[in-house]
Amino acid sequence: MPRTPLRTLVASLSLLSLLAVPPAGHPISDDIELPQLGEPADAVMSPREEYQIGARVTAQIHAAGYALEDPQLTDYISRLGWHIASHGSRVPDHLQFFMVRDPRINAFALPGGFMGFNAGLMMAAESESELAAVVAHELAHVTQRHIARTIQGTRAADIATWAAVLAAIIAGSASPDVVLGALSLGQAASLQRQVSFTRTHELEADRIGIGTMIAAGYDPQGMVSFFRRLEQQSRLYGSQIPDILRTHPVNTTRIAEARQRADGHSGRADEIRPLTFSIMRARSRVLTVDRPSQALDYFKQRIESGIDQPAEWYGAALAHHALGQFQASDAILERLLEETPRQIHFLLLKAENARGRRAPEEALSTLEVVLEQQPRYAPARFAYAETLMDAGRPEQARQFILDDFEHVRPFTETHRILARAARASGDRAELAYQSATYAWRRGDAETAMEKLDAGLRHSGLSEDERARLQSFRREVRETLPRYWRPQYEETSDNWRPQN
């Protein structure tokens, strides 16, 4: 993957957070009447509009290939996020957690409850409580609706400018100088006010976040230690500071306040899941490097230096797998499984090695051991369904997913697998529906429309199949601007919209 566009997009998202303005890929609404200063946040941006904006940005992240769509990492960060959210004073109506394929340290909360975490953040945290501190902080930005509140505190006429400029930023078609130039057109005072709001919101997010992580059972000292380390890095890096320091500036005041709130409290989570956290750190590294051999060298050096820990060996085994060296990976896993024979992440990698060796029955046998322990663990169910399809049993794979649909429904991966099963079975209506749902769940309404229209053009649909696709099409179409038309509609004289 080319690195320059990735830097452009991540820097753009960092600028989003720095200025505390709404990221947008299209106009918020044709019908919004811009309010005066001091009106409630809902009058500036409704929760539905926040969701539409966040979904649009998230769709572009996925479409550009910057999301790290790994079921195990997604499940891990989602479980962590929802656990923390469940202990807050208010649980948002919608939350979606995803990983970003970037080794730099950063995290961001988009409007509508979409929260992104760089793989580099996972690698930089030294405990799960440090990671939980960042998640709780970003979650507070969402629950307190800081972006909508910031817009409330700016001149209403700026909103159209924000939307237009941020659309260019996210598309990667504008340089920072051009962006800042566009934002400075008679708005210097407004920008300064926004930076002030951002500082206030950062302190508020710290206060609420640390209370939430304490309630969730995490050690609040994790926020203190992570802040302290970031502050030390800000002195060492000079002008090349990590992205998270640009968007979340750390100073002695924030560290002192975090320490004051953390004193007298202790958590238990780090003692419960240290191995899982370490395994996810190792997994993040292997899946983010340019070449798997780099990760293999990294873990070999750590092991040789005396860091003889299961997670380091797991990282080496995963790197061998990524290099297609399945026997070498299995050799490491055999040693690890002697010590912890039922560790699910080790077993999942063993099954993936079997799939790599084109031994689906062996992989299914290993995955059954995992499912005996955690029958509703979504990554294991996905792996089992994929392996069934490898074995030429797509209908059985489809039924396996549907048998526990309520527990795997929150994952977009569910619909990708159902679409693959439908394609293998030759079910065109189901393929169109599941492919569209997969795109829709990733925030990509335009692709969802294209998949639905392609399905509706097939002859031989039953009345129920056509009604199902048409109903979903109407739901998706309502989220798109009135003037939107798909490319195939604009270039074909014979195409008719399927109402």
Side-chain angles (χ1 to χ4, degrees):
M1 180 184 302
R3 289 295 177 187
T4 301
L6 178 58
R7 292 195 189 100
T8 302
L9 180 61
V10 174
S12 302
L13 291 170
S14 299
L15 184 58
L16 283 174
S17 183
L18 174 63
L19 298 179
V21 297
H26 56 79
I28 296 173
S29 170
D30 295 331
D31 302 320
I32 291 179
E33 291 187 9
L34 302 181
Q36 299 298 317
L37 176 65
E39 291 186 7
D42 274 350
V44 182
M45 182 186 297
S46 70
R48 180 180 179 181
E49 289 162 348
E50 285 186 277
Y51 177 87
Q52 290 174 340
I53 293 170
R56 180 72 176 185
V57 178
T58 302
Q60 294 191 35
I61 293 171
H62 281 87
Y66 301 145
L68 182 51
E69 298 184 85
D70 176 71
Q72 292 182 55
L73 283 171
T74 301
D75 178 86
Y76 175 78
I77 196 68
S78 298
R79 285 173 182 258
L80 177 63
W82 277 108
H83 174 70
I84 292 171
S86 69
H87 288 81
S89 59
R90 181 170 65 87
V91 180
D93 294 333
H94 172 269
L95 282 176
Q96 181 172 322
F97 304 88
F98 60 93
M99 298 292 295
V100 178
R101 192 186 301 274
D102 191 322
R104 291 173 295 179
I105 308 170
N106 204 7
F108 51 88
L110 299 172
F114 297 87
M115 299 174 63
F117 301 89
N118 282 16
L121 175 68
M122 185 85 75
M123 292 184 276
E126 295 184 355
S127 69
E128 190 170 74
S129 284
E130 289 193 353
L131 179 62
V134 178
V135 174
H137 175 97
E138 295 299 328
L139 183 65
H141 284 309
V142 173
T143 59
Q144 302 307 303
R145 299 184 65 196
H146 282 158
I147 290 178
R149 286 167 55 189
T150 297
I151 295 174
Q152 177 188 347
T154 63
R155 292 191 307 152
D158 292 344
I159 292 179
T161 302
W162 297 137
V165 172
L166 290 171
I169 296 174
I170 295 166
S173 59
S175 69
D177 290 340
V178 173
V179 171
L180 293 177
L183 295 178
S184 65
L185 299 176
Q187 302 181 48
S190 178
L191 279 174
Q192 181 57 49
R193 275 194 299 176
Q194 290 185 56
V195 173
S196 297
F197 277 135
T198 300
R199 290 170 184 154
T200 300
H201 292 165
E202 288 299 300
L203 290 172
E204 183 176 43
D206 291 347
R207 175 179 56 80
I208 295 173
I210 204 166
T212 304
M213 66 181 295
I214 290 170
Y218 289 96
D219 185 352
Q221 294 295 334
M223 182 174 285
V224 179
S225 61
F226 197 64
F227 277 1
R228 186 185 299 114
R229 197 158 62 254
L230 287 177
E231 196 268 341
Q232 291 171 348
Q233 289 190 36
S234 68
R235 299 177 182 178
L236 297 174
Y237 276 79
S239 61
Q240 301 298 318
I241 62 174
D243 291 285
I244 197 169
L245 294 179
R246 299 181 189 277
T247 60
H248 302 75
V250 176
N251 53 35
T252 54
T253 300
R254 289 185 67 187
I255 295 173
E257 291 195 9
R259 183 184 295 111
Q260 182 178 3
R261 295 189 183 99
D263 285 346
H265 297 280
S266 63
R268 62 182 184 277
D270 286 342
E271 288 71 38
I272 294 175
R273 305 203 310 172
L275 180 57
T276 301
F277 168 73
S278 298
I279 288 173
M280 291 300 105
R281 286 182 73 199
R283 190 171 184 86
S284 297
R285 183 174 298 277
V286 175
L287 298 183
T288 306
V289 294
D290 291 329
R291 298 185 304 277
S293 58
Q294 294 175 318
L296 183 57
D297 291 341
Y298 171 84
F299 289 112
K300 281 184 176 179
Q301 290 172 6
R302 287 177 64 83
I303 293 168
E304 291 170 358
S305 69
I307 308 176
D308 188 8
Q309 298 295 324
E312 310 303 318
W313 285 102
Y314 170 83
L318 183 60
H320 277 300
H321 171 86
L323 289 165
Q325 299 168 355
F326 306 124
Q327 290 184 342
S329 180
D330 278 336
I332 295 174
L333 289 172
E334 183 178 355
R335 169 187 167 181
L336 290 172
L337 288 168
E338 285 179 359
E339 299 178 3
T340 51
R342 298 176 66 83
Q343 214 293 323
I344 60 173
H345 300 291
F346 299 164
L347 290 168
L348 285 172
L349 182 52
K350 180 181 177 181
E352 285 302 303
N353 286 336
R355 287 184 66 194
R357 290 186 277 103
R358 299 189 179 183
E361 296 304 326
E362 179 185 337
L364 289 172
S365 178
T366 300
L367 289 168
E368 286 166 3
V369 176
V370 178
L371 290 168
E372 285 175 2
Q373 298 180 69
Q374 296 194 31
R376 290 176 172 170
Y377 182 52
R381 298 193 72 84
F382 296 150
Y384 196 83
E386 294 268 28
T387 309
L388 286 172
M389 285 185 278
D390 292 346
R393 304 190 308 223
E395 186 55 37
Q396 187 177 346
R398 176 179 180 274
Q399 192 57 51
F400 179 77
I401 292 295
L402 294 179
D403 284 345
D404 197 40
F405 189 69
E406 287 302 312
H407 289 91
V408 298
R409 180 163 53 181
F411 295 86
T412 57
E413 183 76 0
T414 299
H415 302 284
R416 186 192 66 78
I417 291 174
L418 289 174
R420 182 188 168 191
R423 181 181 292 107
S425 301
D427 189 337
R428 292 182 172 183
E430 181 71 3
L431 172 60
Y433 184 86
Q434 297 298 344
S435 297
T437 305
Y438 177 63
W440 170 252
R441 292 287 305 278
R442 296 164 87 229
D444 191 350
E446 295 182 12
T447 297
M449 286 286 290
E450 293 175 5
K451 299 294 185 182
L452 291 168
D453 285 335
L456 286 164
R457 289 198 295 272
H458 286 305
S459 60
L461 293 178
S462 69
E463 291 185 7
D464 288 345
E465 289 171 337
R466 185 171 296 279
R468 183 190 191 201
L469 294 177
Q470 288 174 335
S471 175
F472 190 17
R473 187 186 192 279
R474 285 191 293 271
E475 180 183 355
V476 175
R477 186 64 183 86
E478 289 178 357
T479 68
L480 290 165
R482 290 194 300 269
Y483 54 79
W484 179 84
R485 293 179 66 192
Q487 184 176 2
Y488 50 80
E489 181 181 350
E490 295 174 352
T491 57
S492 173
D493 294 333
N494 299 323
W495 187 90
R496 296 179 182 177
Q498 302 287 342
N499 297 319

